[in-house]
PDB file of all heavy atoms in Angstrom:
ATOM      1  N   ALA A  36      84.439 114.745 110.892  1.00 92.00           N
ATOM      2  CA  ALA A  36      85.194 115.739 110.137  1.00 92.00           C
ATOM      3  C   ALA A  36      85.259 115.496 108.666  1.00 92.00           C
ATOM      4  O   ALA A  36      85.912 116.193 107.914  1.00 92.00           O
ATOM      5  CB  ALA A  36      86.633 115.791 110.659  1.00 92.00           C
ATOM      6  N   LYS A  37      84.540 114.369 108.242  1.00 94.00           N
ATOM      7  CA  LYS A  37      84.490 114.022 106.833  1.00 94.00           C
ATOM      8  C   LYS A  37      85.843 113.756 106.223  1.00 94.00           C
ATOM      9  O   LYS A  37      86.178 114.201 105.146  1.00 94.00           O
ATOM     10  CB  LYS A  37      83.767 115.033 105.999  1.00 94.00           C
ATOM     11  CG  LYS A  37      82.291 115.247 106.502  1.00 94.00           C
ATOM     12  CD  LYS A  37      81.612 116.305 105.656  1.00 94.00           C
ATOM     13  CE  LYS A  37      80.200 116.427 106.234  1.00 94.00           C
ATOM     14  NZ  LYS A  37      79.460 117.602 105.691  1.00 94.00           N
ATOM     15  N   ILE A  38      86.705 113.024 107.013  1.00 95.00           N
ATOM     16  CA  ILE A  38      88.043 112.686 106.566  1.00 95.00           C
ATOM     17  C   ILE A  38      88.178 111.195 106.444  1.00 95.00           C
ATOM     18  O   ILE A  38      87.814 110.420 107.356  1.00 95.00           O
ATOM     19  CB  ILE A  38      89.059 113.208 107.633  1.00 95.00           C
ATOM     20  CG1 ILE A  38      89.093 114.707 107.658  1.00 95.00           C
ATOM     21  CG2 ILE A  38      90.463 112.688 107.307  1.00 95.00           C
ATOM     22  CD1 ILE A  38      89.916 115.349 108.783  1.00 95.00           C
ATOM     23  N   THR A  39      88.796 110.738 105.365  1.00 97.00           N
ATOM     24  CA  THR A  39      89.155 109.341 105.123  1.00 97.00           C
ATOM     25  C   THR A  39      90.577 109.417 104.577  1.00 97.00           C
ATOM     26  O   THR A  39      90.874 110.154 103.603  1.00 97.00           O
ATOM     27  CB  THR A  39      88.265 108.698 104.129  1.00 97.00           C
ATOM     28  OG1 THR A  39      86.911 108.700 104.627  1.00 97.00           O
ATOM     29  CG2 THR A  39      88.658 107.237 103.936  1.00 97.00           C
ATOM     30  N   MET A  40      91.482 108.631 105.190  1.00 97.00           N
ATOM     31  CA  MET A  40      92.863 108.602 104.722  1.00 97.00           C
ATOM     32  C   MET A  40      93.336 107.132 104.614  1.00 97.00           C
ATOM     33  O   MET A  40      93.034 106.308 105.463  1.00 97.00           O
ATOM     34  CB  MET A  40      93.785 109.272 105.706  1.00 97.00           C
ATOM     35  CG  MET A  40      93.639 110.776 105.909  1.00 97.00           C
ATOM     36  SD  MET A  40      94.758 111.529 107.020  1.00 97.00           S
ATOM     37  CE  MET A  40      94.074 110.970 108.575  1.00 97.00           C
ATOM     38  N   ASP A  41      94.098 106.894 103.585  1.00 98.00           N
ATOM     39  CA  ASP A  41      94.854 105.623 103.465  1.00 98.00           C
ATOM     40  C   ASP A  41      96.308 105.907 103.622  1.00 98.00           C
ATOM     41  O   ASP A  41      96.831 106.881 103.077  1.00 98.00           O
ATOM     42  CB  ASP A  41      94.594 104.973 102.055  1.00 98.00           C
ATOM     43  CG  ASP A  41      93.156 104.448 101.924  1.00 98.00           C
ATOM     44  OD1 ASP A  41      92.753 103.781 102.887  1.00 98.00           O
ATOM     45  OD2 ASP A  41      92.513 104.722 100.851  1.00 98.00           O
ATOM     46  N   ILE A  42      96.963 105.143 104.465  1.00 98.00           N
ATOM     47  CA  ILE A  42      98.353 105.343 104.809  1.00 98.00           C
ATOM     48  C   ILE A  42      99.134 104.078 104.481  1.00 98.00           C
ATOM     49  O   ILE A  42      98.745 102.987 104.862  1.00 98.00           O
ATOM     50  CB  ILE A  42      98.513 105.643 106.354  1.00 98.00           C
ATOM     51  CG1 ILE A  42      97.685 106.863 106.685  1.00 98.00           C
ATOM     52  CG2 ILE A  42      99.943 105.833 106.712  1.00 98.00           C
ATOM     53  CD1 ILE A  42      97.518 107.087 108.233  1.00 98.00           C
ATOM     54  N   ALA A  43     100.174 104.256 103.649  1.00 97.00           N
ATOM     55  CA  ALA A  43     100.965 103.124 103.183  1.00 97.00           C
ATOM     56  C   ALA A  43     102.433 103.414 103.248  1.00 97.00           C
ATOM     57  O   ALA A  43     102.859 104.567 102.904  1.00 97.00           O
ATOM     58  CB  ALA A  43     100.562 102.815 101.700  1.00 97.00           C
ATOM     59  N   PRO A  44     103.245 102.439 103.683  1.00 97.00           N
ATOM     60  CA  PRO A  44     104.681 102.684 103.746  1.00 97.00           C
ATOM     61  C   PRO A  44     105.318 102.850 102.285  1.00 97.00           C
ATOM     62  O   PRO A  44     104.829 102.154 101.390  1.00 97.00           O
ATOM     63  CB  PRO A  44     105.223 101.514 104.412  1.00 97.00           C
ATOM     64  CG  PRO A  44     104.163 100.479 104.436  1.00 97.00           C
ATOM     65  CD  PRO A  44     102.860 101.133 104.128  1.00 97.00           C
ATOM     66  N   TYR A  45     106.275 103.716 102.151  1.00 96.00           N
ATOM     67  CA  TYR A  45     106.968 103.798 100.907  1.00 96.00           C
ATOM     68  C   TYR A  45     107.747 102.537 100.658  1.00 96.00           C
ATOM     69  O   TYR A  45     107.874 102.038  99.523  1.00 96.00           O
ATOM     70  CB  TYR A  45     107.909 105.072 100.884  1.00 96.00           C
ATOM     71  CG  TYR A  45     107.239 106.354 100.645  1.00 96.00           C
ATOM     72  CD1 TYR A  45     107.049 107.265 101.663  1.00 96.00           C
ATOM     73  CD2 TYR A  45     106.782 106.642  99.367  1.00 96.00           C
ATOM     74  CE1 TYR A  45     106.436 108.479 101.476  1.00 96.00           C
ATOM     75  CE2 TYR A  45     106.167 107.861  99.124  1.00 96.00           C
ATOM     76  CZ  TYR A  45     105.962 108.764 100.158  1.00 96.00           C
ATOM     77  OH  TYR A  45     105.341 109.953  99.936  1.00 96.00           O
ATOM     78  N   ILE A  46     108.408 102.038 101.691  1.00 94.00           N
ATOM     79  CA  ILE A  46     109.128 100.769 101.661  1.00 94.00           C
ATOM     80  C   ILE A  46     108.604  99.888 102.758  1.00 94.00           C
ATOM     81  O   ILE A  46     108.792 100.230 103.947  1.00 94.00           O
ATOM     82  CB  ILE A  46     110.665 101.082 101.814  1.00 94.00           C
ATOM     83  CG1 ILE A  46     111.165 102.010 100.799  1.00 94.00           C
ATOM     84  CG2 ILE A  46     111.429  99.768 101.814  1.00 94.00           C
ATOM     85  CD1 ILE A  46     112.567 102.572 101.078  1.00 94.00           C
ATOM     86  N   PRO A  47     108.026  98.728 102.461  1.00 91.00           N
ATOM     87  CA  PRO A  47     107.475  97.880 103.545  1.00 91.00           C
ATOM     88  C   PRO A  47     108.485  97.397 104.580  1.00 91.00           C
ATOM     89  O   PRO A  47     108.199  97.440 105.759  1.00 91.00           O
ATOM     90  CB  PRO A  47     106.838  96.763 102.762  1.00 91.00           C
ATOM     91  CG  PRO A  47     106.581  97.266 101.416  1.00 91.00           C
ATOM     92  CD  PRO A  47     107.692  98.248 101.165  1.00 91.00           C
ATOM     93  N   GLY A  48     109.668  97.042 104.158  1.00 90.00           N
ATOM     94  CA  GLY A  48     110.675  96.461 105.087  1.00 90.00           C
ATOM     95  C   GLY A  48     111.518  97.453 105.770  1.00 90.00           C
ATOM     96  O   GLY A  48     112.678  97.599 105.420  1.00 90.00           O
ATOM     97  N   GLN A  49     111.030  98.213 106.652  1.00 91.00           N
ATOM     98  CA  GLN A  49     111.739  99.231 107.393  1.00 91.00           C
ATOM     99  C   GLN A  49     111.905  98.866 108.906  1.00 91.00           C
ATOM    100  O   GLN A  49     111.863  99.715 109.717  1.00 91.00           O
ATOM    101  CB  GLN A  49     111.046 100.620 107.259  1.00 91.00           C
ATOM    102  CG  GLN A  49     110.930 101.036 105.822  1.00 91.00           C
ATOM    103  CD  GLN A  49     110.310 102.408 105.672  1.00 91.00           C
ATOM    104  OE1 GLN A  49     110.945 103.430 105.813  1.00 91.00           O
ATOM    105  NE2 GLN A  49     108.995 102.382 105.336  1.00 91.00           N
TER     106      GLN A  49
END
Side-chain angles (χ1 to χ4, degrees):
K37 299 179 183 169
I38 295 173
T39 300
M40 293 182 287
D41 290 313
I42 301 169
Y45 281 107
I46 302 169
Q49 297 181 83

